């Protein structure tokens, strides 16, 4: 058949294509089961070389190589090839070329022998000379076979792997290619001479399984093994052994194979597996983080995930990680049932020396720190025994705005050596926990802020309600979409729309002050009857509110008249704060201040903005603005885009920066909290601004920037000055009124010295008419006239001081002198009411800084109140006692004690309120003004009930050194 096939070139090459195609089809059919089916392509090359010769064999070799690379190397069905598959492709290519060459050589040799034998048989009888030529041709063929054998050996040695042959029973190697010495470093002679060389140099962990598999080789003709061998220099080399069993009959005789060095591939696989383990671990942690909105539950889930990922016995979180702390405690932990924690969550444990050393070591490291076997730090013996642990891995966490935490894993069942991959994953989990702790700290701060807001909302002395204007806003938007531009005119001409819009406003909440102000029993009653509060005058204010919303204003303030549920009409100051467009207006804060009885003492209430009514900004160490809020933009009339990046002195001016801003910034950069108040130039003119500087530490250590909260106090300062002026005028009116009440006492005090002056003058005239006047008597009488004149002048001077309208003059005052100067003005009132006045003045008291006239006014008011309180007393002495003495360190105390009717317990809280009085015809301003005067001097005025009868009014003032 070979001769017939050889006669036609097309047939020879067709055989090559056919053989390769058939083997490819069979191998592809077997590929899902075993990739090694690709070796059938070698059979196609072998058959082609045997049947068709060298050139068709080379064609078959090329086609087989392409088919092998396309169909049987990863990625399959692609001409691309992974680097790990290159050795396999090279070996296949070389073996296929070898088989093609050998098969063609053997074919040529057989053809030559056959041809020689045919010629010998044909010409044996004819020519013996032909036999000699045949012998020569035979010898040439033999030489060619030897050369082919040498080429085969060279080809084997050129394969990038160890080609070997061994006995199937003893496993002694009979042939090893020269690559053995390059890959493992052992000479070829040792492989062949030592019967157990291969087995002795297998890795101990692989030896038993590999030898057992080779001993069972008859069960399978081919094996593809991966195992480790020890190289001559001690290296561990991973090898892939593609082994084939050669049979003699039905008995295995020889083992052939190729050992390929796959150490680099194995190292890459190990790194890939480590990365995969890391990614899967982080996926589990991320799943735990995103699996709940409860931050504490989330951290608990993360600890559960860490316990499972690392297969350890405990995962825990301790706070604080501070060696200087007096105690620390377990904030969260997860343990295996057989290894429960020593301390319960929340227990505070004193910081012992071993724990402090661990904290120092952990905080000095930038990553996880191992304690125990194989680590740089031994596990403290006392801690190991007390906690029942054998090794641990610990890391410090630094959440923003809080002290450091300590996150750790403990192994209790056995000592553990932590791998670098585990340390890397622990560090990554620690960073995620740090973010979670930061979020938890911010969440708690937000919750505390909400609680503070709620406390302010409920406990403030001003009525505050929260209203929903969202429906009104949508109605205004519809009008705007319909072409309305002048909303003020539209609302004036469409009262039905205004009435309908008023019903759209919904009161969401109101504080207790508002409930009391509107005379409701409780909040539910008020919210159900809120429509009763509005009167016709209120609708005009509501129109202005809608105009403010339509114009996009952020606030609105106006006086309004409302009606309480008990029918009383109240004049109030309404202040509304709207979020700037396009924010929703479903939570508009409205403050209601009752100004019915104090129209003359109006003051501006602070606006409550959506985020902050104050100017808030951040300044970096280079004194440049990093971030500003809308209030700051409005103050400087400049957009934030221009402000950010500017230096403070460029915006606020060089002089304020050098004198005030920069020194306070430097103090804050040093770590201090700084607050100050002052007048500063702004585009709107000079403004009184208060500022609080807080250091910002992004890394928890260094101050990188300053948070500034600045409030405009200009209007408050002006209002305070106006209030002080109003109080001073009211105090003057009260003093003049008091002088009117003391007219009899004043007249008596003046009449006495005037009567004495008249008497002494008449006596002097009589003595001078005598023939021999007694000049000594006249001189004494005139001296008495001068003395009484000065006495009357002093009384008039005191009256002028009380009656004159002057600004308060603070000076060094002896309180006992003030008391004594006041006595002549009230002496007649004391006598006319049959009151016994007694002084109990302590000597050597500290002087006080105050206005003498205002202090006398307070004393006169308290004495007159005491006298009037005893007017109806008839069953006991009417005694009034004025005492002075030291009080609470460096303060000076004055007390006025009476024996009158005392204080009604139900009126104690309103005793010092303006316009509250228990006297018929009284104004109710005396005690209120007295209290304002005392508090203006930095003191305090209060009243107490006596143990028996009457009451005592005390006031204390700060003493001077």
């Amino acid at each position: 058949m070979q001769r017939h096939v050889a006669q036609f070139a097309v047939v020879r090459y067709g055989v090559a294509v056919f053989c390769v195609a058939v083997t490819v089809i069979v191998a592809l059919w077997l590929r899902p089961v075993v990739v090694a089916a690709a070796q059938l392509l070698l059979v196609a090359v072998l058959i082609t070389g045997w049947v068709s010769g060298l050139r068709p064999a080379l064609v078959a070799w090329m086609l087989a190589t392409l088919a092998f690379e396309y169909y049987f190397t990863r990625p399959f069905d692609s001409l691309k090839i992974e680097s790990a598959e290159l050795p396999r492709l090279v070996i296949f290519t070389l073996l296929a070329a070898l088989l093609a060459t050998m098969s063609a050589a053997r074919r040529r040799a057989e053809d030559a022998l056959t041809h020689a034998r045919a010629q010998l048989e044909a010409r044996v009888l004819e020519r013996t000379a032909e036999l000699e030529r045949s012998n020569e041709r035979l010898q040439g063929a033999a030489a060619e076979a030897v050369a082919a054998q040498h080429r085969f050996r060279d080809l084997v040695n050129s394969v990038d792997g160890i080609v070997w042959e061994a006995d199937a029973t003893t496993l002694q190697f009979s042939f090893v290619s020269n690559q053995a010495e390059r890959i493992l470093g052992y000479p070829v002679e040792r492989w062949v001479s030592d019967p157990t060389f291969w087995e002795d140099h297998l890795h101990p962990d692989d030896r038993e399984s590999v030898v057992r598999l080779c001993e069972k080789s008859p069960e399978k003709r081919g094996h593809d093994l991966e195992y480790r061998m020890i190289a001559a220099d001690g290296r561990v080399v991973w090898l892939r052994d593609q082994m084939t069993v050669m049979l003699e009959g039905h008995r295995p005789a020889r083992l052939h194979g190729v050992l390929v060095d796959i150490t680099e591939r194995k190292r890459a696989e190990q790194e890939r597996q480590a990365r995969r383990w890391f990614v899967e671990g982080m996926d589990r942690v991320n799943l735990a983080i995103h699996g709940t909105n409860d931050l504490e539950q989330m951290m608990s889930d993360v600890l559960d995930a860490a316990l499972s990922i690392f297969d350890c016995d405990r995962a825990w979180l301790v706070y604080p990680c501070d060696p200087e702390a007096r105690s620390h405690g377990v904030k969260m932990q997860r343990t295996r049932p057989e290894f429960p924690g020593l301390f319960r969550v929340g227990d505070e444990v004193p910081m012992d020396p071993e724990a402090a050393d661990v904290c120092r070591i952990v905080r000095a490291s930038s990553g996880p720190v191992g304690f125990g076997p194989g680590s740089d730090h031994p596990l403290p013996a006392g801690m190991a025994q007390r906690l029942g642990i054998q090794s641990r891995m610990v890391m410090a966490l630094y959440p923003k705005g809080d002290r450091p935490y300590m996150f750790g894993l403990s192994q209790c069942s056995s000592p553990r050596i932590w791998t670098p991959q585990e340390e890397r994953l622990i560090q990554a989990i620690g960073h995620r926990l740090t973010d979670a702790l930061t979020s938890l700290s911010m969440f708690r701060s937000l919750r505390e802020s909400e609680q503070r807001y709620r406390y302010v909302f409920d406990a403030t002395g001003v009525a505050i309600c929260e209203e929903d204007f969202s429906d009104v806003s949508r109605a205004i938007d519809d009008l705007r979409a319909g072409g309305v531009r002048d909303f003020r005119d539209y609302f004036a001409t469409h009262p039905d729309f205004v009435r309908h819009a008023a019903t759209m406003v919904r009161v969401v909440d109101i504080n207790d002050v508002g409930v009391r102000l509107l005379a409701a029993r409780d909040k539910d009653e008020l919210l159900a009857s809120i429509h009763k509060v509005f009167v016709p005058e209120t609708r005009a204010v509501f129109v202005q509110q809608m105009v403010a919303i339509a114009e996009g204003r952020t606030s609105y303030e106006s006086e309004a008249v409302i009606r309480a549920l008990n029918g009383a009409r109240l004049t109030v100051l309404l202040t509304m704060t709207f979020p700037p467009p396009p924010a929703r207006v479903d939570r508009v804060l409205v403050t209601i201040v009752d100004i019915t009885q104090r129209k003359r003492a109006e003051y501006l209430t602070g606006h409550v903005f959506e985020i902050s009514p104050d100017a808030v900004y951040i300044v970096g160490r280079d004194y440049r603005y990093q971030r500003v809020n809308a209030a700051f933009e409005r103050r400087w009339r400049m957009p934030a885009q221009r402000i950010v990046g500017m230096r403070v002195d460029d915006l606020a001016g060089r002089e304020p920066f050098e004198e005030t801003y920069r020194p306070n910034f430097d103090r804050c950069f040093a770590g201090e909290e700084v607050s100050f108040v002052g007048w500063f130039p702004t585009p709107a003119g000079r403004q009184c601004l208060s500022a609080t500087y807080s250091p910002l530490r992004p890394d928890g250590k260094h101050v990188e920037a300053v948070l500034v909260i600045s409030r405009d106090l200009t209007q408050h300062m002006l209002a305070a000055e106006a209030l002080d002026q109003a109080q001073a005028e009211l105090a003057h009116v009260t003093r003049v009124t008091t002088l009117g009440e003391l007219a009899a006492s004043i007249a008596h005090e003046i009449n006495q010295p005037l009567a004495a002056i008249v008497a002494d003058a008449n006596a002097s005239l009589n003595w001078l008419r005598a023939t021999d006047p007694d000049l000594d008597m006249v001189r004494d009488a005139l001296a008495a006239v001068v003395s009484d004149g000065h006495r009357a002048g002093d009384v008039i001077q005191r009256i002028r001081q009380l009656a004159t309208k002057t600004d308060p003059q603070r000076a060094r005052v002896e309180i006992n002198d003030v008391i004594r100067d006041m006595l002549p003005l009230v002496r007649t009132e004391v006598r006319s009411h049959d009151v016994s006045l007694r002084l109990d003045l302590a000597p050597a008291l500290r002087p006080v800084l105050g206005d003498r006239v205002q202090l006398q006014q307070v004393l006169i008011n308290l004495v007159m109140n005491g006298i009037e309180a005893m007017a109806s007393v008839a069953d006991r002495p009417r005694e009034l006692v004025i005492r002075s003495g030291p009080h609470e360190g460096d303060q000076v105390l004055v007390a006025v004690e009476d024996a009158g009717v005392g204080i009604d317990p139900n009126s104690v809280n309103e005793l010092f309120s303006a316009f509250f009085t228990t006297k018929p015809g009284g104004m109710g301003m005396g005690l209120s003004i007295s209290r304002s005067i005392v508090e203006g001097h930095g003191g305090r005025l209060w009243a107490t009930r006596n143990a028996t009868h009457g009451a005592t009014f005390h006031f204390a003032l700060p003493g001077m050194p």
Side-chain angles (χ1 to χ4, degrees):
M1 184 184 72
Q2 293 176 351
R3 288 195 297 271
H4 294 300
V5 170
Q7 292 176 1
F8 302 97
V10 175
V11 175
R12 292 200 306 273
Y13 289 99
V15 169
V17 174
F18 176 76
C19 290
V20 173
V22 170
T23 54
V24 166
I25 293 172
V26 174
L28 285 175
W29 180 65
L30 294 175
R31 187 176 69 177
V33 180
V34 55
V35 178
Q39 307 301 329
L40 291 174
L41 294 171
L42 296 176
V43 176
V45 175
L46 184 63
I47 292 173
T48 302
W50 181 260
V51 173
S52 301
L54 178 60
R55 292 183 179 179
L58 293 177
V59 172
W61 169 67
M62 292 174 59
L63 294 175
T65 302
L66 289 173
F68 183 86
E69 192 275 338
Y70 187 87
Y71 294 109
F72 302 101
T73 59
R74 292 182 176 84
F76 295 129
D77 302 328
S78 172
L79 291 177
K80 296 181 180 180
I81 185 170
E82 297 180 358
S83 58
E85 295 290 330
L86 282 176
R88 183 163 166 255
L89 177 61
V90 171
I91 292 172
F92 176 88
T93 303
L94 293 177
L95 286 177
L98 177 63
L99 291 174
T101 305
M102 291 180 61
S103 176
R106 290 192 63 180
R107 177 186 177 280
R108 287 195 299 273
E110 287 191 5
D111 286 345
L113 289 174
T114 302
H115 182 68
R117 187 168 54 251
Q119 287 181 345
L120 180 61
E121 290 176 353
R123 299 178 183 180
V124 67
L125 299 175
E126 299 177 0
R127 292 181 299 176
T128 57
E130 289 292 329
L131 180 60
E132 293 178 357
R133 288 194 297 271
S134 297
N135 287 334
E136 291 176 357
R137 288 195 295 270
L138 182 61
Q139 289 174 358
E144 187 178 353
V146 172
Q149 183 177 5
H150 287 297
R151 288 196 303 272
F152 171 75
R153 183 177 295 275
D154 293 339
L155 181 62
V156 167
N157 288 328
S158 67
V159 173
D160 189 16
I162 304 172
V163 181
W164 58 272
E165 182 183 55
D167 186 88
T169 304
T170 64
L171 301 181
Q172 180 177 359
F173 279 59
S174 58
F175 173 79
V176 176
S177 65
N178 294 336
Q179 294 290 344
E181 187 169 357
R182 181 183 67 82
I183 294 175
L184 293 173
Y186 300 109
V188 174
E189 292 76 13
R190 290 192 60 185
W191 287 75
V192 178
S193 61
D194 188 349
T196 60
F197 175 84
W198 174 74
E199 183 177 348
D200 292 340
H201 290 81
L202 289 173
H203 193 281
D205 295 341
D206 299 339
R207 182 178 297 135
E208 182 179 354
S209 60
V210 173
V211 172
R212 183 169 62 250
L213 184 62
C214 291
E215 290 174 348
K216 295 181 178 179
S217 59
E219 300 176 2
K220 188 176 181 182
R221 293 291 303 276
H223 297 278
D224 194 344
L225 309 178
E226 290 183 358
Y227 53 84
R228 291 165 290 179
M229 291 188 70
I230 307 300
D233 57 2
R235 292 179 297 111
V236 175
V237 180
W238 273 96
L239 298 171
R240 180 181 181 184
D241 193 351
Q242 293 177 311
M243 181 177 62
T244 303
V245 181
M246 308 301 294
L247 302 178
E248 290 183 359
H250 297 288
R251 184 177 63 84
R254 311 296 295 171
L255 299 177
H256 294 169
V258 179
L259 292 171
V260 180
D261 185 359
I262 60 171
T263 304
E264 291 301 323
R265 194 195 78 188
K266 280 293 185 180
R267 184 178 295 111
E269 287 180 356
Q270 291 174 353
E271 292 177 356
R272 186 165 56 251
Q273 289 175 354
R275 286 195 299 270
R276 179 180 178 183
W277 177 77
F278 178 87
V279 171
E280 289 178 349
M282 287 306 300
D283 284 344
R284 294 182 62 181
V285 171
N286 291 333
L287 183 62
I289 289 176
H290 299 295
T292 177
N293 292 326
D294 187 338
L295 290 174
E296 294 186 357
Q297 180 62 42
M298 178 265 290
M299 288 197 297
S300 174
D301 294 343
V302 170
L303 291 184
D304 280 333
L307 194 71
S308 174
I309 293 169
F310 293 96
D311 193 24
C312 55
D313 298 323
R314 295 176 189 158
W316 42 268
L317 202 63
V318 169
Y319 178 84
C321 180
D322 184 0
E324 305 301 327
R326 300 181 62 180
S327 63
H328 60 167
V330 178
K331 295 302 178 184
M332 195 166 293
Q333 67 176 348
R334 288 294 179 269
T335 65
R336 299 197 182 281
E338 59 270 27
F339 298 105
L342 178 63
F343 304 110
R344 294 177 302 177
V345 173
D347 289 349
E348 288 292 326
V349 182
M351 182 72 74
D352 57 74
E354 289 184 338
D357 289 341
V358 169
C359 289
R360 291 189 186 92
I361 294 171
V362 172
R363 293 191 61 175
S365 174
S366 60
V369 180
F371 292 87
S375 303
D376 295 335
H377 304 282
L379 191 64
M383 180 180 293
Q385 182 178 4
R386 184 171 64 257
L387 300 179
I389 57 177
Q390 301 195 45
S391 61
R392 63 177 2 186
M393 179 66 67
V394 184
M395 178 182 177
L397 310 181
Y398 299 94
K400 295 180 181 179
D402 203 350
R403 289 196 290 176
Y405 283 72
M406 185 161 59
F407 163 57
L409 305 175
S410 299
Q411 195 72 29
C412 305
S413 56
S414 60
R416 179 170 182 171
I417 298 177
W418 304 91
T419 65
Q421 291 83 2
E422 291 174 330
E423 292 184 14
R424 180 167 165 259
L425 182 55
I426 290 174
Q427 187 171 16
I429 295 175
H431 291 327
R432 298 308 304 271
L433 276 175
T434 301
D435 295 339
L437 289 170
T438 300
S439 299
L440 180 60
S441 177
M442 294 173 62
F443 173 75
R444 289 174 176 170
S445 299
L446 178 60
R447 186 165 55 190
E448 292 173 0
S449 176
E450 290 176 350
Q451 291 174 352
R452 288 195 299 270
Y453 166 77
R454 192 69 220 180
Y455 173 78
V456 171
F457 184 82
D458 290 333
T460 185
V462 178
I464 301 177
C465 67
E466 187 176 342
E467 298 182 359
D468 184 357
F469 277 81
S470 56
D471 291 340
V472 176
S473 178
R474 281 191 290 269
I476 292 174
D477 290 340
D478 292 341
L479 292 178
R480 184 181 288 110
V484 176
R485 293 295 178 265
D486 189 346
F487 288 95
R488 195 181 303 274
D489 180 68
Y490 181 86
F491 295 150
T493 57
H494 294 78
D496 293 339
F497 177 83
V498 174
R499 284 191 292 271
H500 179 63
T503 63
M504 298 180 185
V505 180
R506 185 171 63 89
V507 178
V508 179
D509 198 2
I510 190 168
N511 63 356
D512 294 338
V513 177
V515 173
R516 293 194 298 270
L517 175 65
L518 298 176
R521 289 192 299 270
D522 52 38
K523 188 181 299 184
D524 294 335
E525 180 191 11
L526 179 59
L527 295 179
S529 308
I530 196 66
H531 60 281
K532 298 179 181 178
V533 173
F534 300 109
V535 296
E537 296 93 323
T538 312
R539 299 198 181 278
V541 176
F542 178 67
V543 168
Q544 297 301 321
Q545 293 172 2
M546 290 196 298
V547 170
I549 295 174
E551 294 177 351
R553 282 186 267 165
T554 57
S555 63
Y556 172 76
E557 183 177 286
S558 175
E559 293 181 7
V561 178
I562 60 176
R563 180 172 51 208
L565 297 188
N566 60 4
R569 291 170 62 89
L570 302 175
T571 302
V572 297
L573 178 65
L574 295 179
T575 302
M576 306 183 67
T577 302
F578 305 104
R584 298 188 308 171
V585 288
D586 57 345
R587 300 180 71 87
V588 176
L589 291 180
V590 181
T591 60
I592 307 172
V593 180
D594 182 7
I595 58 173
T596 307
Q597 301 298 329
R598 46 193 177 103
K599 287 283 291 177
R600 297 176 60 188
E602 281 185 341
Y603 63 90
L604 298 175
T605 59
H607 295 291
V608 182
F609 291 96
E610 181 183 11
I611 298 175
S612 172
D614 302 325
V616 182
Y617 56 97
I618 297 175
V619 176
R621 280 190 166 274
D622 56 356
Y623 306 110
R624 295 186 183 276
Y625 295 103
Q626 296 180 354
R627 187 175 181 182
V628 301
N629 71 342
F632 193 80
E633 294 181 55
R634 291 192 297 272
R635 175 181 296 173
W636 291 99
R637 300 177 182 176
M638 188 180 298
Q641 292 80 0
R642 287 189 58 193
I643 297 176
V644 173
M646 293 178 63
R647 281 179 57 92
V648 176
D649 51 350
D650 293 338
L651 183 66
R654 171 64 62 179
E655 184 177 349
F657 175 74
E658 295 294 342
E659 292 181 359
T660 305
Y661 292 128
R662 183 169 185 167
N664 288 310
F665 277 131
D666 292 341
R667 287 175 56 193
C668 195
F669 287 136
E672 295 185 41
E673 289 275 352
V674 182
S675 297
F676 63 89
V677 179
W679 288 88
F680 299 94
T682 68
R686 290 184 59 81
Q687 293 182 338
C688 182
L689 305 177
S690 69
T692 300
Y693 289 2
S694 301
L696 297 179
R697 298 179 175 87
D699 59 356
K701 296 181 181 179
H702 305 94
V703 179
E704 298 296 338
V706 173
L707 173 66
V708 183
I709 301 176
S710 175
R711 176 169 294 179
D712 181 4
L713 300 179
T714 305
Q715 295 301 322
H716 293 280
M717 294 297 291
L718 295 176
E721 292 175 1
L723 181 60
D724 291 342
Q725 183 65 29
Q727 288 179 341
E729 292 178 358
L730 186 59
H732 173 256
V733 172
T734 305
R735 289 199 301 271
V736 174
T737 304
T738 303
L739 289 177
E741 296 175 357
L742 296 176
S745 296
I746 293 171
H748 177 75
E749 289 298 320
I750 294 177
N751 284 336
Q752 276 189 339
L754 291 179
I757 289 172
V758 172
D760 289 335
N762 289 329
S764 298
L765 291 174
N766 291 332
W767 287 327
L768 289 175
R769 289 193 191 99
T771 305
D772 187 13
D774 189 350
L775 296 180
D776 291 335
M777 295 291 291
V778 173
R779 188 179 295 107
D780 292 340
L782 292 176
V785 168
V786 172
S787 175
D788 289 334
H790 285 303
R791 177 182 168 192
D794 290 342
V795 172
I796 293 172
Q797 178 64 25
R798 295 188 190 104
I799 295 171
R800 285 191 62 198
Q801 290 176 346
L802 289 171
T804 301
K805 180 181 178 182
T806 60
D807 294 332
Q809 301 292 328
R810 300 286 175 89
R812 190 183 183 94
V813 176
E814 297 289 342
I815 198 66
N816 287 344
D817 292 343
V818 176
I819 296 173
R820 294 188 185 97
D821 289 346
M822 176 271 306
L823 291 179
L825 301 178
V826 299
R827 185 176 291 120
T828 300
E829 290 294 325
V830 170
R831 292 173 182 170
S832 64
H833 286 81
D834 196 19
V835 174
S836 172
L837 177 62
R838 181 166 60 90
L839 299 182
D840 183 8
L841 307 180
L845 289 177
R846 287 175 176 264
V848 298
L849 181 64
D851 183 271
R852 178 183 293 271
V853 174
Q854 289 185 339
L855 295 179
Q856 283 185 353
Q857 179 180 355
V858 173
L859 284 169
I860 291 173
N861 185 64
L862 297 181
V863 170
M864 293 299 295
N865 286 346
I867 292 172
E868 293 174 359
M870 294 185 291
S872 61
V873 174
D875 57 345
R876 56 183 178 275
R878 301 176 182 177
E879 185 178 26
L880 187 69
V881 182
I882 302 177
R883 295 188 177 89
S884 68
H887 179 69
E888 293 183 356
D890 60 351
Q891 291 187 330
V892 176
L893 175 70
V894 177
V896 179
E897 178 184 343
D898 64 62
V901 295
I903 301 173
D904 185 359
N906 298 325
S907 304
V908 173
N909 294 332
E910 301 181 26
L911 197 60
F912 297 97
S913 300
F915 307 113
F916 174 79
T917 181
T918 58
K919 297 182 293 184
M923 294 176 59
M925 295 298 297
L927 287 177
S928 176
I929 293 174
S930 297
R931 188 173 200 174
S932 298
I933 292 173
V934 172
E935 291 179 350
H937 283 71
R940 184 169 65 96
L941 173 63
W942 72 98
T944 59
R945 300 181 63 188
N946 295 338
T948 55
H949 303 287
T952 301
F953 286 79
H954 316 259
F955 68 88
L957 301 174
M960 297 179 63

